[in-house]
Structures are given as structure tokens and as C-alpha cells.
Amino acid sequence: MATPEEGDAPAALMLNPAEWSLWQAFRNGSTCDLRTGDPARDDPHGQFRWGPERRVRARIVALLLLEGPPAQPGRVSALKLAGAYITDTLDLAGGTIKPFVELRDCRFQNEVVLPESRFTTLRMVGCAIPRVEAARLHTEGDLHLPRCVVRSGIRLTDAHIGTDLLLNQTVVHKDRQGRSVMADGLTVAQDLQAEMMESYGELSLRGATIGVSLSLRGSRLSNPYGRRALNAPQMTVERTLYLTGAGLASSPFSSTTATPPYGIAHTPTRGTRMQRFECEGGMRLDDGRFGDAVDFEQARFIMEADQELSLRRIQTPELRFLGERPQRGRVILSGARVVNLVDKAASWPGLGGLWMAGFNYETLIPRGHFPLSRRLEWVAAATPEYAPEPYEMLATALRGSGEDSDAREVLLAKQRRRRETLPLAAKLWGVLQDWTVAYGYRPGRAAVWMAILWALGTVYFAQSPPPALKPGEAPPWNPYLYSLDLLLPVIDLYQGSSWKPDGGSQWVAAVMILAGWVLATTVAAGASRLLRRQ
């Protein structure tokens, strides 16, 4: 290598014209641009072959980054290369790279090897790369891979990104293990943006930690033959996980200004202003922690019967379940804890497609028309076999919003579902309770029955008064008070004990006493529930 005083490349390196231009540009901190100006010929993903005038050996790139010449006086060295065909394998494993690195519209012959290397900032924009191997990579600044096409996966296991990780519009195909992006244990200090990304294989983010937000707006994750398209259990996102639509710069969903300098650069499919998030295959977010929200607005899930959108035990202040209803597969919310559940009736799957045992939420915020009848269907879809918890959770949320009447309707529906599991005798008793007093959740109905029985009893005993138990000591006969004394348990109006019904009157009195006890205890149970707010 040249001495620091000279800074010129040693003759033994036998630099070609493209490499010599790169060497000089590195010392100046300027861009070595090998593009022709013809978009078709400059496309690294296109079919045109690139000749020797655009070829740069990976060895030269590595030499500049690891032991490069000093910068020209008054300049800062940086490797900025555009439109190059980088031959052989760029291997920087374990190295410490201090210069700024930006490779734009380049084509790589072999994989890029970066395990345990350290960068300040690394940007590869619009490049064609066979594979990126970067386990335990460490950057002080950004790692940008927007608009790249990676044919055999990206590995970022246990990598640490000092600011942002950008994968906007990147196309990643699966590796030999079926994974497109392997990023278990990844740490990103600020945002991870993978908007309008195309992932063909499993995107794995197990145990990843994102310091601000994770955005997959407008992305397509496809792994129809594997178990999951996104596998991200135990992930922590300090703010919001976006699995929503993306659009043009004028759209509120665009991130063009939010992620300079690589926002959404092309019109979504068919010229529309919006491209929805789509997941073909299962998704697992179990045990995740999300500081602001998990947003599924306009998301579309295409699953097989044995695949799941699993949100087991997630914790977030807000879950926005506003996507398209999955036609197959299951949505699982078992053990999840959210404060606000923002949802639409049309977003939830039908019977057998929703599990939410132990799902805890505080406030329901429906979008659009979501009447109580549909909400009860939502609970029924989640409980093919009777379980009380979803009904009780819904009643608690409605009561917390001041909708006491709807809460009672939910608890009544719970009792009716429970009745289906009981033996025949208990079912008949339940039907009687439901028909007469609605299990005590409609105490006004009990008062009506009491009034009817009182009137019938009064008419009957007015026509057939019973004889006095002790003639001469009985109070004046009053059929009104006598019927009421029979109906009201505990309370003694000094009528029932003074007269001795016989014949058919005994049966009428017995029926009224039993009916009074049933109605009174049912009303008392309903009142007790109201007082205890259960």
C-alpha cells in the first residue's frame, strides 16, 4: 500500500480505470459514478451485462475501507460508489470501518459478508445482492438497504443499529432455511422502516428491540408454504407497530418526508394512492410489548386453515384491528392486555376463527356500525365451547363506558350460553328463569309477574274466600292483602296465618307462595349484581 505521505495506490494493485477513479474519489470524499445515464442499462436488476469499465474488485473496496489512504488536505475520506459491478466477495467480517459508506445502484457478484464488523454509517441503495451476511453487525449511525434486491436472504442476528434501519421497497427472497430476513435479537435505537417491502420467506424478528417505531406500511410478506410470514415473538417496540397501508407523498400514509432520503419512490399497484399491507402466511407477535399501539388498519391476511395471526399475551395501550376479515386461519388474542380496542365488525373472523380466552381490554372504540347484537356474535365466535370470561370482559368494558343496560344484556347472553351446557333439569329451570325474570337482569319483568299473580290471586280468593283458622279472632277478610301476603316472602301482613285454605285453594296458595319466593329471590340476586357492579 502507498505510504500515508503519498496516498497513491501501489502499482502492485494494478488498478483498472474504474478502481483508480474510486481510489481518487475516496480521498476526496466525492462520489465515483460509473453509470451511463441510460436507466435501462444502469438498472442493477436488469438484463444488460456490465463490462470491464464498471468492474471494481471487492478486494479494492475492502482495502479502502479497512486501510485506505489519507484524505486530501481539507477533505474527509468516504466511499461513495454508484453503478459499479463489484466482483468476488466483499468480506469485511470483524473489521472496523470508520469512513462513511454509500453504495448506490451497484451489482454484487457474490454475497456481502459483514459479521461482527463495525461501521459508522452503511448505505446500500438500489443494489442487487446475492446475500447479506451481517450477524452481530454494529453501526453507530444508520444501516440503509432501500430498494435493494437480495436473492438469498439477509442475516442481522443480534445486530445493533445506532439510529435507523431502512428496508423500504427492498425485495428479499428466502435462504436455504426458508427465511428472508433473519434478525433475531436485533436492536435498533430509533426506527425500523420496511415500507412497501417484499419478503418471500419468513421474516424473523424474535426478541428484537426497536427504540421508536416499526413500520411495515404497504409491505407484502409472503410465505404460504411455511408456517409464518412474520415471526416476531417477545419483540419490544417503544412506540407503534404499523401494519397498515402506504401511499404517495401526498397521502397521509406516505413516509417520503419521514425517512430521508429514501421514501416511497413509485406509485403503488395500478396507480392507486394506497397500497395495503398484505401477509400471506401466519404471523406471530406473542409476548410483544408495544408502547403506543399495534395498528392493522386496512391490513389483509391470507392464511391456510392451520395458520394463525397470533397476538398471545401482547401488551399495548391500543390495538387497532381494522383490517380485512381473514377468510381462513385463526386470530388468537389469548392473554393479550390492551387499554383501547379500536375495531370494526367487518374485521373479525367468524365462528371458530377467533380465540380470546383471557383477553383483557378496558375500552371499546368501534369504527362504524357495531351494534350490541354483532358484539355478542363476536364473543360467540370466540367461544365455540362456553367460557364465561369473554362475556364478563365485554360487560365490564361496557359498564366502564356507562352502558349499564348493554352490560346486563351481555351477562344475560352469558347465562343463556351457560344453560346449553347444563343437564336437562337445570336447562328447564333456566328456561323458566329466563322466561319469567331473565335471570334477574330484568327485574322489572319480575314486578310485572308479581302484579299479574296478585291480580289473579285477588280475583280467585275474592270469589272463594278461605275459612278463618280461629273464628272470632281473624282480622277482617281482605283478598288483596291475603294474596299479597302469600306472594311476599319474609314480610308478614297478618293475613296468611289467619286463614286456612282448603281444597283447590290450597293449591292456588301453594303456587303463589312458591312463585313469590322464586320472583323475590331472582329480583334480589339481580339487585345484588347491580349493587356489586358485576
Side-chain angles (χ1 to χ4, degrees):
M1 176 180 163
T3 63
E5 292 76 16
E6 297 171 351
D8 293 329
L13 291 177
M14 301 178 64
L15 300 183
N16 63 33
E19 293 168 346
W20 185 88
S21 297
L22 175 61
W23 191 280
Q24 299 304 317
F26 177 84
R27 297 190 66 202
N28 290 323
S30 58
T31 299
C32 176
D33 194 343
L34 303 177
R35 293 173 293 190
T36 64
D38 182 344
R41 292 186 177 275
D42 290 336
D43 184 2
H45 318 298
Q47 301 300 316
F48 286 97
R49 295 178 61 86
W50 289 2
E53 72 282 359
R54 303 179 71 162
R55 295 192 177 184
V56 175
R57 288 171 289 172
R59 173 192 173 193
I60 303 302
V61 175
L63 182 62
L64 288 170
L65 292 177
L66 295 172
E67 300 181 65
Q72 293 283 2
R75 307 303 296 269
V76 177
S77 59
L79 194 141
K80 301 177 184 178
L81 179 60
Y85 180 41
I86 300 176
T87 61
D88 304 320
T89 300
L90 179 58
D91 188 345
L92 299 169
T96 298
I97 295 90
K98 295 182 179 180
F100 173 88
V101 182
E102 181 174 285
L103 303 170
R104 185 185 291 268
D105 298 330
C106 291
R107 183 181 291 176
F108 289 80
Q109 183 180 26
N110 297 323
E111 66 179 350
V112 177
V113 181
L114 308 173
E116 301 189 27
S117 56
R118 301 180 69 89
F119 285 81
T120 50
T121 292
L122 173 59
R123 295 178 178 173
M124 292 188 285
V125 183
C127 296
I129 312 171
R131 176 173 171 78
V132 177
E133 180 65 51
R136 298 174 297 283
L137 169 75
H138 189 286
T139 70
E140 296 178 13
D142 299 336
L143 173 60
H144 289 183
L145 297 168
R147 298 198 289 275
C148 290
V149 175
V150 185
R151 294 192 297 273
S152 188
I154 299 173
R155 183 180 178 88
L156 288 167
T157 306
D158 297 318
H160 180 91
I161 310 303
T163 50
D164 296 332
L165 172 58
L166 222 61
L167 298 169
N168 289 351
Q169 295 178 258
T170 298
V171 179
V172 190
H173 297 272
K174 63 183 180 181
D175 60 15
R176 288 176 291 181
Q177 284 74 42
R179 296 185 178 94
S180 58
V181 178
M182 181 66 174
D184 295 350
L186 171 71
T187 299
V188 179
Q190 296 185 21
D191 290 311
L192 195 169
Q193 296 197 4
E195 301 182 358
M196 297 181 73
M197 176 187 185
E198 295 180 28
S199 168
Y200 299 98
E202 182 182 286
L203 171 55
S204 183
L205 290 165
R206 295 169 58 98
T209 300
I210 313 301
V212 183
S213 294
L214 168 55
S215 176
L216 287 160
R217 292 185 178 100
S219 293
R220 174 180 170 81
L221 311 182
S222 178
N223 192 21
Y225 306 111
R227 190 173 180 184
R228 302 180 184 94
L230 175 59
N231 187 26
Q234 299 178 330
M235 179 169 62
T236 299
V237 179
E238 293 297 329
R239 295 189 64 182
T240 302
L241 169 61
Y242 293 101
L243 302 171
T244 62
L248 299 178
S250 59
S251 166
F253 296 92
S254 173
S255 62
T256 302
T257 58
T259 58
Y262 317 114
I264 304 305
H266 66 266
T267 302
T269 306
R270 299 185 180 276
T272 61
R273 303 193 67 81
M274 179 63 61
Q275 180 167 302
R276 71 172 66 203
F277 170 83
E278 185 174 291
C279 180
E280 186 177 5
M283 178 181 295
R284 183 186 181 201
L285 298 173
D286 298 351
D287 301 295
R289 303 292 183 268
F290 307 92
D292 284 352
V294 177
D295 194 345
F296 289 102
E297 187 159 4
Q298 297 188 352
R300 184 184 185 200
F301 294 92
I302 305 169
M303 297 183 285
E304 299 298 325
D306 60 342
Q307 293 176 330
E308 301 174 349
L309 167 55
S310 181
L311 304 172
R312 292 178 175 90
R313 299 175 299 279
I314 69 164
Q315 294 185 23
T316 180
E318 186 162 289
L319 173 62
R320 303 168 193 157
F321 201 86
L322 301 167
E324 182 180 302
R325 173 183 288 126
Q327 299 303 311
R328 289 180 291 181
R330 295 181 296 273
V331 176
I332 301 182
L333 287 161
S334 302
R337 300 180 64 86
V338 306
V339 178
N340 298 327
L341 176 59
V342 185
D343 63 347
K344 295 191 299 186
S347 295
W348 295 106
L351 182 65
L354 175 62
W355 294 359
M356 55 181 189
F359 177 35
N360 188 290
Y361 51 91
E362 295 182 16
T363 306
L364 292 170
I365 307 175
R367 291 271 186 93
H369 187 56
F370 206 152
L372 182 61
S373 59
R374 295 292 301 275
R375 189 65 78 178
L376 289 173
E377 292 174 5
W378 172 67
V379 174
T383 53
E385 297 182 357
Y386 168 71
E389 293 88 353
Y391 289 94
E392 292 167 359
M393 188 69 252
L394 176 57
T396 300
L398 291 171
R399 189 175 296 112
S401 300
E403 302 174 66
D404 288 348
S405 176
D406 285 350
R408 290 194 294 272
E409 289 296 321
V410 172
L411 294 175
L412 176 58
K414 181 190 79 168
Q415 293 293 344
R416 288 169 174 167
R417 281 292 304 277
R418 177 178 175 272
R419 188 173 70 211
E420 298 171 2
T421 67
L422 299 176
L424 179 60
K427 281 184 180 179
L428 294 176
W429 174 244
V431 170
L432 178 62
Q433 282 190 301
D434 193 359
W435 185 61
T436 54
V437 292
Y439 288 97
Y441 290 109
R442 295 174 184 168
R445 185 184 292 183
V448 172
W449 279 109
M450 292 279 281
I452 292 173
L453 290 173
W454 184 25
L456 292 175
T458 299
V459 171
Y460 178 83
F461 287 113
Q463 297 175 355
S464 304
L469 186 63
K470 295 180 180 181
E473 298 181 10
W477 168 246
N478 188 325
Y480 297 97
L481 290 179
Y482 182 73
S483 298
L484 190 60
D485 202 1
L486 293 176
L487 283 172
L488 294 177
V490 181
I491 300 175
D492 189 358
L493 301 178
Y494 304 104
Q495 290 287 328
S497 59
S498 300
W499 308 95
K500 183 182 178 181
D502 55 6
S505 297
Q506 286 183 315
W507 290 103
V508 173
V511 168
M512 292 186 68
I513 291 171
L514 290 174
W517 274 102
V518 170
L519 293 173
T521 54
T522 307
V523 170
S528 176
R529 292 189 188 101
L530 292 177
L531 291 173
R532 289 185 286 117
R533 309 292 289 172
Q534 294 180 357

